[in-house]
Amino acid sequence: MRLSYPGNVKVVKVPCTGRVDVLLILRAFESGVDGVYLAGCLEGECHFLRGNLRARRRVEYVKGLLEEVGLGGNRVEMFNMSASQGQRFAQFAQEMTERIRLLGPSPVKKGE
Amino acid sequence: MKTNSVIEKVLEQGGFVVTSECGPPRGADPEVVRRKGELLRGVVDGVNVTDNQTSVVRMSSLSACAILKGMGLEPILQMVCRDRNRIALQSDLLGAAALGINNVLCLSGDHQKFGDHPQGKNVYDIDSVQLIQTVARLRDEGKFLGGDEVKGRPMLFVGAAANPFADPFEIRAARLGKKVKAGCEFIQTQCIYNVERFTRWMEMVCERGLHERCGILAGVTPFKTAGMANYMKKNVPGMDVPDDMIARMKGVAKEKQAEEGIKICVETIERLREIPGVRGIHIMAIEWEEKVAEIVKAAGLLPRPEIQ
Amino acid sequence: MIVGNRKDFSEILEKLGAARRVLLLGCNECVTVCGVGGEREVGVLASELRLYWTKEGETFEVREHTLERQCDYEYIDQIRGFADDYDVILSMACGAGVQYVAEAYKTKLVLPAVNTTFLGVTIEQGMWSERCQGCGACILDMTGGICPIARCAKSLLNGPCGGSSEGKCEIDKETDCAWQLIVDRLKESGQMERYEEILPVKDWRTGRDGGPRRRVREDLKL
Amino acid sequence: MEFSDRATHSDRAKPIGAVMVVGGGIGGMQASLDLAESGFYVYLVDHSPTIGGVMSQLDKTFPTNDCAMCIMSPKLVDSGRHRNIRVITNAEVKEILGPPGSFEATIIRRPRYIRADKCTGCGECAKHCPVTAIDSYNEGMSRRAAVYLRYPQAIPKIFLIDREACIGCGLCERVCLAGAVDYGDRESEEKISVGSVILAPGFEVFDAKRRPEFGYGVFPNVITSIELERILSATGPHRSHLLRPSDGAIPERIAFIQCVGSRDAKCGNDYCSSVCCMYAVKEAIIAKEHVPFVKPTIFNMDIRAYGKGFDAYYERAKADYDVRFIKSMVSKVREKQGSGNLLVAYLNEEGKASEEEFDLVVLSLGMTTSKSVRDTAARLGVKLNRFGFCETETFTPLATSREGIYVCGAFQSPKDIPETVAQASGAAAAAAEMIASARGTLTTKKEYPPEDEVKPEEEARIGVFICHCGINIGGVVNVPAVKEYARTLPNVVHADENLYTCSQDTQEKIKNAVKEHGLNRVIVASCSPRTHEPMFRETIREAGLNKFLFEMANIRDQCSWVHMRRKAEATEKAKLLVRMAVANARLNRSLSETEVPVVQRGLVIGGGVAGMTAALRLAEQGFEVFLVEKEDRLGGNLLNLHYTIEGGDVQAFLRDLIDRVSHSSIHILLNSLVVDFSGVRGNFTTGVTTAPAMVHQKIQHGITILATGAEEEKPDGYLYGEDARVLTQLELEDRLYKGDWGQISNLSPEVVMIQCVGSRNEKHPSCSRTCCATAVKNALKLKKLNPAMNIRILYRDVRTYGFLETYYAQARREGIIFVRYDPEESPEVKKEGETLMISFEDKILKERMTLRPDLIVLSSASIPRENKELANLLKVPRTAEGFFLEAHMKLRPVDFASDGIYVAGSGHAPKLISESISQAYAAVARACTILSKENLLVGGIVAVVEGERCAACLTCVRVCPYEVPVVNVKGEAEIDIIKCKGCGTCAAECPARAIDLMHFTTGQLEAKVGALVGG
């Protein structure tokens, strides 16, 4: 669809959001990213049956962890979309970017 | 006659026992106990004194019993297993007997989770059935649990509670059987609203012949308000309040609800008296002791027999 | 297995005080299985600490290490080479492990990151439940294989109490009434007559009430 | 009566294990690939200098808006490089001699003037050619040299000289370092021996000049749909800028005129071209996406959005893109003096003459066959129908009139891409069946060079190839800068850029670079790995590297396309994406794949026409089949049908089919249900329970075909079930067949049919596809029974696509009245006493009509039969409406995303009998790509357990959606690589972190994330 979305969104490909573990998300924040979101298949349409549902639970858990350490749980999110919903992808990219902009840069920035 | 208990005597004479309750105060003022005791004088055959009921700290049951005894009333010492181990329980039993207290009611006790000290550690060294055994053993065998000889046996009439409505229903009678087997001589039941279900329980009890070995006193509690009826149905475990009863409470104006509650209670007592095996009534008018006399009277249970 | 629960991050921070060189020590036994102190959880806590301290602008060092078991000294010895590089050892094992590590590294501050809760079983993925209190004198033969000591809120040996309602305990609706379970089990296995027996008062000496316990098996000793 | 294909070849000599496929469009390519993957050698003959057909000219495809070239190019490349496909372009078939099974075909190859064996496709010749010729790929809207490639991704990538344009200057010959130019080239003939033939020559668009009233060729701003397609395309004349021909202005008001050359008896094309409604909707949407202020208007008689997901697309066009649909036929287009704008005259639905001004008029041209195709057919002795399309029979939709020659695609009847692809697979199955006994006799197996061992500890030597993708990337991202940056990254020893990295010559370039620079990791920074990764992996494998040492950075979809207007930023992002890829590639490891045996047996679930056909065709190809049917008899929906619209006898066909299905290789299990399912392609185990004894058996099989079908929904409303005079079409058909007329005594009875009952509504947004034809079929039957009968069909759009249109025309001729209604004003049915009443809006009379019909017939929706549990068991997805959802709407119409499971028949979407048969054949062809192999490769991206770290906690066992992990006797988790699907859930949850997912290891993901920020 070639819908424009903010350039600061970078994609790390995984076979399924079910592959994304709590630690990877935390490590991303350690690396200094300002926010992380998972783009999973629509609920009920996971190519691997329920990976996206597990991912959602983990995202919820990470939200709690980020609250604990004072980064704010809103820096992480789970979105669902289908491969054909380019518009949704762009919309969520926009939405998340706006959200992170309001939250400001992550206080965990290495080498800055 | 095993003891000097009034309850035992009324039962022995084939009378219909009436007991009620007195909750000790959350303080050290003995007058509160006396005032409540006075309300029950001549109205009931025995007064239960609760033991830190609902796990809320109150004046000790033993002390309150002693006060009532001093007034010439017949106290029933409630003892729960939650707060004392076997050493403390036996020691208090000896003390109670020494103070002239004739009755003890052995209970498990409510879990402290709902009390004012949920942080506390519970004891449950022994359970209520074992406590019954303990009393019987002290009295009848003259032996402590540890096996040593008791010098001066505590002559206590042993009672216990039963909840005909708790689950699992099919073992309620069996459980009563265990208590009787352990040495229990009278039973006070949980408050009864569902008379039909209670009747079925009594049938099971009678089937086992338990009513002959142990005096069964049916418990009643008058509703003060429709709200209370509803609350008991929803929040008190093991309480069976039929919907029509709640509807009846709701059906009258707020200011008339107390009156209706008492009316229901009296009707219930009248129905309970008809049930074979029921040997008495235990009225739990929670913080409403002033109404006990009215209920007993309305139920035609006055005067109480004179016992020497 | 021994089941535990991660302490709150704030409590861990408080316990760590000024310590910034932390050896975070996991255990690959029970606490791994119950998802509280295995390698993954060590990673998560380490990450949390790093995020927090980076955010606060502090200098720190967090090392992650997971032992096969923290209840055997040979394994505990494996950190000998580098334990001294750290201000504290933050153990994610059960209480036994924490203590044993502390015993082995007498000069080190050893802190618990986990609250040890019970001996239990996995009910389903992500859910565990208590089954045993280690009373030292098992009576499961009498109670249909369900322990009233561990599973009845009042440890009643002759239950249930009057608070049993619809199969649940009076303490909350999530908790099964152990005695309901016992009765069901006895009934299913045709042993209802067992229910009529009064279980005698228990001799608690074999339990913790008899003082800390020790077990020796002579033939296994070296 | 013989319904199945006409081959009875048992008494013949051993056939030839090769097939000639005529036509290299998407259909021809699909058929070729299926055949080649099933053990047959393929000659793919195309008259054009390149394969790819019309699809190569399309910009996007409906209803997914996938880029046509993007999804097709892997097939192009696969066809071009498949060792068992020989592509012969610029060629015609002269004749085919000999008996089926051992044909001898004569091919005439026209001169190319460039030697295929020498041309490298470098393009130097074209750069120097002084001639500017008209570029037919861009429909004449741009220019090219006389020496040219049809399009950049063309296969084969061999130039040719357009001798008509060529001035013979000899410049190209001088600059060609390969010495490939050969002016002396001349036509040559070649004879090839094949067992069977598939005709897939496709279609030609209608010549717009045959409808002069629209002014095509006279007014510059009247263009054709295919021209618009090119204009919208990135490789089009204006590089995807929407500009109109006369003045290069952006047209705001665009009119699409439908049915130009279709549904038009005047020009002899009284059939429907089936695809124009949807492509017009698509073009309108894409135009709108390109230029948001565009206002498209589509003039149409009916919108024929009858395919899967089409109605939703159509609704979206209306709701989200403000596309205006006017129910009307345009009578004339004239130019408004001076402006280049056009005045479109039409009669609106109320019959009022109107005229409206537009900036651009697009003629939605229909499909026809070309003269050369018709001539070829004549030479081959293949019968055509009166429209010049290949004649086929309802029950043998893939067979031509000549035995051993099969047909697919638009040449059979106008159709869209997925139906072409499905039919192509179907034709492949039919062609293969003929020669099944010769399977594997002419094919050769791919021999890869030995794999160079790359040890994990070995220093990574990375080569990075950055793609311009024409202007797709290069127009936004500064590719040379990215290349320079890549060179600075750790372990990168080589970096290069290419115009099209996916072209065949670039593959050679990559292979050479691997050798030359000793590369042990290869990164391509280009487009989506989804479409192109397999091809690049193959390339590095051919260069001796393990395919998992390949990595892709998507700097197109994730960068240039989405940050088009921020070039500097896009370049920086492309660098970052390359950096991430490098960080990841350093950790890529060689992963071994092992061979596991294939259980060469099939399982077909559902014993209707699709299931029986699939079972029979598998059996005829020599495979054992289990056919599971839950009812106590075979037949499915066919049991309720009696005749087709063409007059075919359904029951006779069914009897014959059931008869054939009692085949020595087919085990029929009636009264049987699938109760469990496990395994992977090549080796499934299915538990089947058979009533009444509830016998349970485990069946091992290599493939599974789901053919569970659909059924007529019991309608809701319209007094159905309350009044015996309200029927469904199926009930009507049954009565027609039995001649049971109940109480109708009226001499001229009044019959009203209501279309779209339960279809195209909120609950069931799709069109049920077959009901319009069914209504016409039954109406004609009624009319035949009693010509005095008054029949009205209340419809929303009449969707008699393809040749069905002729029956619609016949129905109107015979006086059947068609009345359109809007869903907001649905007809109302009520009863007054015993009188049945129906009232509806008449658009032409503009008033509400009330009738007292003797019969109301409801065209009820086609809904999938209960399949939820089966879908759960097999873990295959379904649409919101419960139809099975294929792997890809366009190019994988019968595959599921899970390999080895296929769908056929109306369980996929509502279908006609002929379509179900085609699809069943297609599923068989796809299945045979697995069944024909003795072994399959497994492994690669799977989860692996580091046993020592495993705490045997069972987390993996519990969380795996496929129940693959087990704790073995050593007390360690074990994951069967054959079963593992590589989702990584276990790796993400293992509390001991003892599990990792190969190729997506924790280390790799963390490195990638690290590279994302660091830099």
Side-chain angles (χ1 to χ4, degrees), chain C residues 28 32-33 38-40 68 122 125, chain D residues 949 951 955 958 987-988 990-992:
Chain C
N28 200 30
T32 294
V33 178
E39 189 157 334
R40 179 172 302 284
E68 183 57 35
T122 311
Q125 178 62 20
Chain D
R949 298 168 84 167
T955 299
R958 298 191 191 111
C990 172

Side-chain angles (χ1 to χ4, degrees), chain D residues 307-324:
Chain D
K308 197 173 186 175
F310 290 4
D311 252 321
Y313 192 70
Y314 167 41
E315 293 301 326
R316 226 166 61 225
K318 286 193 277 190
D320 301 350
Y321 293 90
D322 291 326
V323 179
R324 190 162 62 122

Side-chain angles (χ1 to χ4, degrees), chain D residues 523-545:
Chain D
I523 294 174
V524 170
S526 61
C527 53
S528 168
R530 199 160 59 105
T531 51
H532 288 70
E533 195 172 56
M535 188 184 84
F536 292 123
R537 282 179 163 179
E538 180 98 2
T539 299
I540 72 155
R541 182 62 195 83
E542 283 167 3
L545 287 178

